[in-house]
Amino acid sequence: MADRIGTTVDSVDHTRPETLEDASPSLAATRSPRVTGGTPSDEHAVILELSDVNAYYGDFHAVDSVSLPIREKEVTAFIGPSGCGKSTVIRSINRMNDLIPTARIEGAITYHGVDLYAPGVDPVEVRRRIGMVFQKPNPFPKSIYDNVAFGPKISKYSGDMDELVERSLTRAALWDEVKDKLSDSAYALSGGQQQRLCIARAIATSPDVLLMDEPASALDPIATLRIEELMYELKQEYTIVIVTHNMQQAARVSDRTAFFSVDVKEGQRTGRLVEFADTATIFTNPQHDETEDYITGRFG
Amino acid sequence: MITQPASIDLTGDPKRRSRERTIRSIFLVAGLMSVAISALIIVSLAGEAWRFVSQVDVGSLWTLGWFPRRGFYDIPTLLIATLVIAGTGMLVAVPLGLGAASYLSEYATPRNRRWMKPALEILAGIPSVVLGFWALTFISPQVVQRFFSSAKPFTMLAAGLGVGVLVTPLVATVSEDAMRAVPRSLREASYGLGANKASTVRTVVFPAAISGIAASLILAVSRAIGETMIVFMAAGAVGGALRTFNPLEPGQTMTAAIASLATGTDQVAGEGLAFQSLFFVGLLLFVLTLALNVLSNRIVRRFREKYE
């Protein structure tokens, strides 16, 4: 396999068909995900930079030395098997791991050049700019309206709240379905609608980064498709980082993909970044055997 | 070679079935017993209470105070004293109890929680007679009389503060359980939107836990109204009391009135209507706590933010 890496590592045009065939005929034959994620140019500026990030829960070393850049107005996907630390990494970007008493991050995550873990950085301020959508839809047990207005209210939004709620719901492709029942409980919505409500709630605070931790894993295929379409819309305005178990999803929605894997050593499972590249490369011409095994379903 | 029996016997062991029937009837009896005892209490209360109501001079129900020995049965005296003492107790228990619950559920490190929660539960287990004695020997001279030099040694304020100490752990532990039961995902949603701890507690955890919190407050109010020993010892006025709203005066609650009549501290047992008045006050107490329960159930159902 070393010679294959040698032939492709310097190749700039990853989509050149003869390279692909030469490099990995078996891969081309078995490749199942439909790759629609592009081969992005590097014109988007780096908004977040992870440098040598290590995560610990107490003595447990959960993530080993992850470095990668995240560019604005792109969708960056984190894929990999369970326990590979992809959720830990995404949750460290808006300091959500601070809520776990034993969790600790080493290394640097810079956002617009500012280290998010520098002393004096207020996690509350970080989370207002870097919003999050969770795996299981978690609307508040309040009305649809109050769910969307929650973030703006706590940050003392002074503009027209009705207008902001409508705009946020519209952007989350939910307005038409709920405009007549804004005062109904959010729990009356279906799972897919609840997740879009959570997205509306996150964008109502006008963050510039949206973190999505397996946002569609609890949804049926049709609801999943709607969330994916929505992501495509949202990346015109927001930077999106998504963790997903679903490789087809990563292939469909993301511009760049980071593949994580897990090493088991002395009973500890430590996640690490194996490969990070534009999505087309990861899915058609990965540099590492591990990545290829995983995306072709030969993992484990 | 195995041969199939002509038919299969599925009737099972008759002994086992009869044993299950026996167990079932034992539990049925236990269940019915508690219902029967409640009914018995109400019936015996109501009978004697009716005798009181039908024989008492209506004018004596509205006088200067509660002096059953002299035929003055001023019910408002007892109601006011009960409310003043329970109210004082709740003024102490609500902020302290909810504050402690919020701290334990949202702020405390696991290490602090590990010893503070059991400590609170121990406080909840202190017998009320001990607290009554403490109210009399510490709260009254060291707290009440320090701030109000004119106050007597026996005051409703001292008793109320004692009742507050009694019910604070109840509010704290039950509310804390309710707050901890709020799913972590709701807290994460709130923090993820840039909420700080205080606004998460106020706008997410509290509303979601409101039914449990309200339950703790109802339990506390019922306990405060029904508390006897502390008021009996620290509020004074064992023989009777004048009608007053002033917490710096002695007062007699419904429970203390029953206790003093029933124990015969004012030597009235069996004399005139004083003995029957005991049942009437008891029935009143029962109706009051029942009404409180019904009302609070309504309120809880109305304001609950139900998750899942």
Side-chain angles (χ1 to χ4, degrees), chain A residues 91 94 96 99-101 124 127-128 130-132 134 136 138-142 147 150-151 154 185 187 201-202 205, chain B residues 110 183-197 199-200 202-204 207-208 304-308:
Chain A
R91 292 167 66 94
N94 70 341
M96 218 58 196
L99 302 176
I100 300 164
V124 167
R127 294 180 200 129
R128 285 187 186 170
I130 305 178
M132 186 147 201
F134 298 85
K136 209 178 130 229
N138 57 351
F140 297 121
K142 301 176 190 290
N147 262 279
F150 183 90
I154 54 169
S185 167
Y187 281 59
R201 183 175 69 179
T205 57
Chain B
R184 208 179 68 167
S185 66
L186 290 185
R187 289 188 183 84
E188 286 189 336
S190 173
Y191 292 127
L193 291 165
N196 57 25
K197 214 152 217 183
S199 48
T200 300
R202 203 184 65 234
T203 57
V204 177
R304 171 161 52 178
E305 284 190 351
K306 214 169 156 238
Y307 49 86
E308 227 69 49

Side-chain angles (χ1 to χ4, degrees), chain A residues 198-209:
Chain A
C198 291
I199 292 171
R201 183 175 69 179
I203 49 193
T205 57
S206 19
D208 54 18
V209 179

Side-chain angles (χ1 to χ4, degrees), chain A residues 50 53-57 60-64 66 78 81-98 100 102-106 109 117 132 211 213-214 241 243 260 269-272:
Chain A
L50 280 65
V53 171
N54 284 270
Y56 301 85
Y57 295 108
F60 168 54
H61 191 191
V63 175
D64 183 37
V66 170
F78 292 177
S82 296
C84 69
K86 55 195 189 302
S87 280
T88 299
V89 171
I90 200 175
R91 292 167 66 94
S92 67
I93 296 175
N94 70 341
R95 296 194 52 174
M96 218 58 196
N97 279 341
D98 288 22
I100 300 164
T102 57
R104 187 160 52 84
I105 298 288
E106 280 174 10
I109 300 177
Y117 284 85
M132 186 147 201
L211 306 176
D213 189 358
E214 299 184 41
V241 183
V243 163
F260 290 78
R269 298 169 60 86
T270 301
R272 67 186 158 83

Side-chain angles (χ1 to χ4, degrees), chain B residues 138-187:
Chain B
F138 177 80
I139 297 178
S140 180
Q142 299 297 323
V143 181
V144 176
Q145 289 184 323
R146 174 161 299 176
F147 289 99
F148 306 96
S149 49
S150 63
K152 302 181 175 77
F154 295 97
T155 57
M156 292 197 280
L157 182 59
L161 295 176
V163 169
V165 172
L166 179 83
V167 297
T168 295
L170 189 70
V171 174
T173 52
V174 177
S175 294
E176 200 250 2
D177 287 342
M179 288 171 75
R180 279 179 75 82
V182 173
R184 208 179 68 167
S185 66
L186 290 185
R187 289 188 183 84

Side-chain angles (χ1 to χ4, degrees), chain B residues 42-58 60-61 73 270-281 283:
Chain B
I42 295 170
V43 167
S44 66
L45 273 181
E48 293 288 337
W50 174 248
R51 206 177 308 167
F52 174 74
V53 172
S54 57
Q55 292 177 24
V56 77
D57 171 16
V58 178
S60 70
L61 290 176
Y73 304 104
E271 199 173 298
L273 280 174
F275 185 66
Q276 277 73 35
S277 75
L278 182 161
F279 292 92
F280 179 70
V281 174
L283 191 66

